[in-house]
Amino acid sequence: MYTCYNQKNDEVNMPKGRPGGNPNIAEHGFKQKYEWDEPCSAKMGLRLPPSLYEELKKIPDWHEKVRHAIAEIVEENSN
C-alpha cells in the first residue's frame, strides 16, 4: 500500500496495484526491439551539418542503421 495525502493533508492508504499481479505479464512486458549482445545504453554526441541531419532523420529506423555502421567501422579497425 502507498500512503498518500488528500487536500486536507489527511493520510490515505491506496492499493499498490492488482492483488497478485498480472499473471500474463510476460505477454505485456518489455521486449527488446533489436538483437544486440548487450543493452544500447551508452550515449555519443556527434556534430554534422544540419542538412545532413535532416536527410538522416527521413530514413526509416535510422538510429539502428547508424549503430550498425559504427559497429562495422569499429570491427574493421579493431585488428
Side-chain angles (χ1 to χ4, degrees):
M1 290 238 161
Y2 291 108
T3 302
C4 298
Y5 297 91
N6 62 16
Q7 291 177 341
K8 297 177 186 176
N9 210 22
D10 296 328
E11 191 174 303
V12 179
N13 289 321
M14 297 185 67
K16 191 173 183 180
R18 182 178 175 273
N22 184 346
N24 300 321
I25 192 69
E27 295 174 18
H28 306 288
F30 175 76
K31 293 181 178 87
Q32 190 171 340
K33 188 173 181 181
Y34 302 106
E35 297 300 322
W36 288 91
D37 293 337
E38 56 186 321
C40 295
S41 57
K43 293 188 178 192
M44 178 180 155
L46 179 68
R47 294 190 182 270
L48 61 154
S51 59
L52 181 60
Y53 182 61
E54 291 304 315
E55 289 300 312
L56 181 63
K57 290 192 315 184
K58 293 177 185 175
I59 299 171
D61 203 22
W62 70 269
H63 292 90
E64 186 65 9
K65 291 177 182 176
V66 169
R67 282 192 278 276
H68 280 284
I70 292 171
E72 283 182 29
I73 293 168
V74 170
E75 189 175 312
E76 288 171 4
N77 291 286
S78 65
N79 296 329

